[in-house]
Amino acid sequence: MLCFRPFLFSFFFCAVSAVSAGAQQSPVHMELAELTRVALERNLEIAAQSYETRASDAQVSGAYGIYDPVAEAEAALGVSREFSNISVISTSDVNEVKYRRLNLSLSQLLPTGARASASFTNGRDDSNNNILAIDPYYDSTLKFSLVQPLLRDRGRTVTERGILFAIKERQISVQNLRARAFDVLSRLRNVYHNALRLRQNLEYRQASLDLAREILRDNKARLESGVLPPVEVLEAEVGVKQRERDLLDARRAYDDALDQIALLVRSDRPVAPADLELERQPVHFREEQGFASALRQRPEIMQQMRLIERLDIEGEVARNQVLPRVDLAAEYSHRGFDDRYADTVGDLADDDLANWQVGVELSYPVGNRAARNDLTRVRLLRRQQSVLLNQLKEEVRIEIRAALRQIEVSDKIVDVTRTGRRLAEEKLDNLLKRQKVGLATTRDVLEGEQDLAAANFDETAALADYNNAVTDYLRISGLLLEQAGVRFIAQVRKDEDGPLLGMETP
């Protein structure tokens, strides 16, 4: 398991080498596999996207709150007054009742959609009406009830629709995170290959400058010997200046590429590729295999499928909401009534005041237009997303074909540029030999050397394009992370700032 290791990364990226003020820091050399791991762990774009995934995790956990028991308590003290119509017996024209209430209840939602509850109610009434045999009196009730939907709101899918929606949203968020990782890794590989290309070009430019300086020294020596005209020395001096400028341009481009790598891996120092050369690794990709892999692993396709699955859940819920509401209600209670509270509570254990009720409740909005139109809306959206998924699949197949063609073309271009580079080497070697015997001028040699530099540049550019074409195919087919040996594992952390997703490599 690869986790965040602050000490290790601070050693690699935060240590400042002892260099003079204003001098450029020497770059850290890393291989592509290590750069991939560091970029996926430290990249700010991925870190920002992980907060959305963490938020979706919290949404899923919160959705399960529908199964949290609901406890309620009520305490009340008051006076109720009303005119009395039994004035012959009553001592007052106003009937006054002083009351106290203390009620407790606990309810629980069940996966079937039923709601079970238990309640304990207590009351004390003190009346000024002397017709009551017990005054004041205590009234307590212990009641158990269950309401089970038989049609509308029945079933686990309807009950847990909020949970299921949250899970789909989290799955979509994870695919957003994978898409961000695809993008970062694709850019990193392209920048890495470009840096290798520019470094080899820098080496070629340095070799070109060294050769131009050697020609200049040789021309000066031959001028002093009187066997070479001064114009040949001037030609060599111009050639040296041009190659010094080309070397500076090559150095600037290479340093810019190192900064791009450093940005992707969040390094304060430039990051250079390891001491490797661009290579052409043989690949054996097939259209059908790539297409099948894309259907399984492309984040865009996975997101679209999750959207369709969410609409399927919405459709099932919408079909349920079209049904009439028919609820089975059952209730059982014991009641206690006495002039002393202890006796009242004691009566709850007896069956003298036991009550029960079983019944069916029916309700149905006439027309039910809201539910019917919501079902129509969901069905249409489901068809829309299916059409978009089919369109996306067709686009992916076209992209895979184009990527395979690009790999094939890039492979052929590497062969062509390699042949061109060999030809330029032979021509320059012949020109150098001819110059020694006076059959070629300095301009001819410098032009031949410039042709060789251009041929070297074309070959390295073709190799970089080939590797980038392979990267593009891996991205389109959804194999990019798998090829890099990376997969995401959800890790719920207690701390809010910790990473939600870790990466592991086999």
Side-chain angles (χ1 to χ4, degrees):
M1 170 70 62
L2 300 179
C3 60
F4 285 84
R5 294 170 287 183
F7 176 78
L8 178 61
F9 289 125
S10 62
F11 175 80
F12 275 124
F13 299 107
C14 299
V16 180
S17 60
V19 294
S20 60
Q24 184 178 3
Q25 294 176 309
S26 59
V28 180
H29 289 78
M30 301 180 71
E31 294 184 356
L32 180 58
E34 182 69 8
L35 282 172
T36 298
R37 179 175 61 82
V38 176
L40 290 174
E41 291 181 350
R42 293 176 57 87
N43 185 267
L44 288 176
E45 297 177 30
I46 296 178
Q49 185 62 46
S50 69
Y51 283 104
E52 178 185 314
T53 306
R54 183 184 296 111
S56 65
D57 249 352
Q59 185 179 0
V60 172
S61 299
Y64 278 96
I66 62 173
Y67 288 124
D68 292 341
V70 179
E72 297 180 350
E74 176 189 9
L77 175 66
V79 176
S80 175
R81 294 186 178 90
E82 61 182 6
F83 287 108
S84 174
N85 61 355
I86 48 176
S87 58
V88 176
I89 302 176
S90 176
T91 59
S92 173
D93 293 337
V94 177
N95 198 15
E96 179 182 278
V97 178
K98 298 178 180 179
Y99 61 88
R100 301 173 189 173
R101 300 285 185 267
L102 178 60
N103 303 326
L104 303 173
S105 68
L106 184 67
S107 63
Q108 173 71 59
L109 179 66
L110 303 179
T112 61
R115 181 167 290 277
S117 63
S119 62
F120 182 44
T121 61
N122 298 272
R124 180 185 185 277
D125 289 51
D126 186 359
S127 175
N128 65 348
N129 193 331
N130 55 13
I131 66 172
L132 298 176
I134 301 177
D135 192 20
Y137 66 89
Y138 294 87
D139 188 0
S140 298
T141 303
L142 179 61
K143 180 171 64 175
F144 301 92
S145 62
L146 176 70
V147 178
Q148 171 63 61
L150 300 179
L151 292 178
R152 187 175 183 178
D153 292 337
R154 176 180 177 272
R156 195 181 193 103
T157 300
V158 179
T159 303
E160 297 183 348
R161 56 184 178 270
I163 299 175
L164 298 176
F165 291 159
I167 290 174
K168 293 305 173 185
E169 292 298 328
R170 184 189 183 282
Q171 292 172 347
I172 292 174
S173 178
V174 170
Q175 294 306 319
N176 286 335
L177 185 56
R178 290 184 71 243
R180 184 61 62 187
F182 268 74
D183 179 63
V184 170
L185 183 52
S186 178
R187 282 187 285 150
L188 176 65
R189 289 171 62 95
N190 290 340
V191 172
Y192 180 86
H193 295 141
N194 185 53
L196 285 176
R197 175 182 67 84
L198 293 173
R199 185 169 66 189
Q200 290 184 222
N201 181 60
L202 183 63
E203 294 171 356
Y204 297 148
R205 294 301 178 184
Q206 183 63 57
S208 176
L209 177 60
D210 293 341
L211 178 60
R213 287 171 175 171
E214 182 180 350
I215 293 174
L216 177 60
R217 288 193 299 269
D218 185 61
N219 284 2
K220 286 182 178 179
R222 296 172 67 186
L223 176 64
E224 293 176 358
S225 301
V227 297
L228 197 70
V231 68
E232 295 295 319
V233 175
L234 183 59
E235 286 278 7
E237 290 176 346
V238 172
V240 169
K241 294 299 181 181
Q242 290 177 340
R243 280 148 186 79
E244 288 177 346
R245 183 192 64 185
D246 294 339
L247 181 62
L248 290 174
D249 289 339
R251 168 63 64 182
R252 174 191 55 77
Y254 180 59
D255 290 340
D256 289 345
L258 300 191
D259 287 339
Q260 293 179 27
I261 297 177
L263 177 63
L264 289 172
V265 298
R266 291 186 62 200
S267 171
D268 295 332
R269 297 171 56 183
V271 180
D275 294 331
L276 302 171
E277 292 187 357
L278 278 170
E279 297 179 351
R280 177 177 53 175
Q281 297 292 343
V283 294
H284 304 284
F285 298 139
R286 298 292 182 270
E287 178 184 336
E288 291 304 323
Q289 294 176 350
F291 182 68
S293 175
L295 296 184
R296 294 192 309 269
Q297 302 192 55
R298 271 285 288 268
E300 301 92 330
I301 293 181
M302 300 299 290
Q303 288 174 340
Q304 195 66 27
M305 293 176 66
R306 299 295 87 79
L307 286 173
I308 292 176
E309 291 170 0
R310 190 187 192 282
L311 287 170
D312 288 338
I313 297 172
E314 284 192 51
E316 184 174 348
V317 173
R319 284 190 295 271
N320 178 268
Q321 297 303 297
V322 173
L323 301 174
R325 179 179 294 279
V326 180
D327 296 342
L328 174 65
E331 183 179 297
Y332 181 79
S333 65
H334 276 206
R335 186 178 180 187
F337 184 88
D338 212 313
D339 59 348
R340 293 192 309 168
Y341 181 71
D343 295 338
T344 303
V345 175
D347 291 343
L348 295 177
D350 300 331
D351 291 335
D352 296 339
L353 296 179
N355 304 279
W356 64 270
Q357 175 181 308
V358 177
V360 176
E361 300 174 358
L362 170 65
S363 68
Y364 185 75
V366 178
N368 202 14
R369 286 181 293 177
R372 294 182 182 279
N373 283 280
D374 188 55
L375 178 58
T376 301
R377 177 189 65 83
V378 173
R379 285 174 175 172
L380 293 174
L381 290 177
R382 172 65 167 79
R383 294 172 185 172
Q384 177 201 30
Q385 296 302 324
S386 296
V387 172
L388 292 177
L389 178 60
N390 292 332
Q391 175 68 21
L392 182 58
K393 290 179 179 179
E394 294 178 3
E395 292 174 356
V396 167
R397 184 180 288 276
I398 296 301
E399 290 176 358
I400 288 177
R401 290 174 181 170
L404 290 173
R405 285 192 292 266
Q406 185 61 47
I407 292 175
E408 183 180 1
V409 170
S410 299
D411 185 65
K412 298 298 183 183
I413 292 177
V414 170
D415 290 334
V416 172
T417 55
R418 185 160 291 172
T419 302
R421 187 256 306 165
R422 292 170 182 168
L423 175 62
E425 288 176 348
E426 291 291 337
K427 290 175 64 176
L428 179 60
D429 186 59
N430 291 333
L431 287 171
L432 288 172
K433 292 177 180 179
R434 295 179 63 189
Q435 186 195 31
K436 295 296 184 181
V437 297
L439 297 178
T441 65
T442 300
R443 178 185 290 273
D444 295 333
V445 174
L446 291 176
E447 288 179 352
E449 188 281 325
Q450 187 68 25
D451 291 341
L452 176 59
N456 283 323
F457 182 85
D458 290 341
E459 182 183 4
T460 55
L463 286 169
D465 290 341
Y466 174 83
N467 284 277
N468 291 339
V470 172
T471 298
D472 195 44
Y473 172 84
L474 294 174
R475 178 188 61 81
I476 293 171
S477 62
L479 293 171
L480 190 57
L481 297 182
E482 179 181 324
Q483 186 75 11
V486 178
R487 47 189 191 125
F488 287 94
I489 298 178
Q491 296 176 332
V492 180
R493 304 295 181 100
K494 293 182 180 180
D495 57 303
E496 293 183 359
D497 294 330
L500 175 65
L501 296 180
M503 275 81 68
E504 72 171 12
T505 55

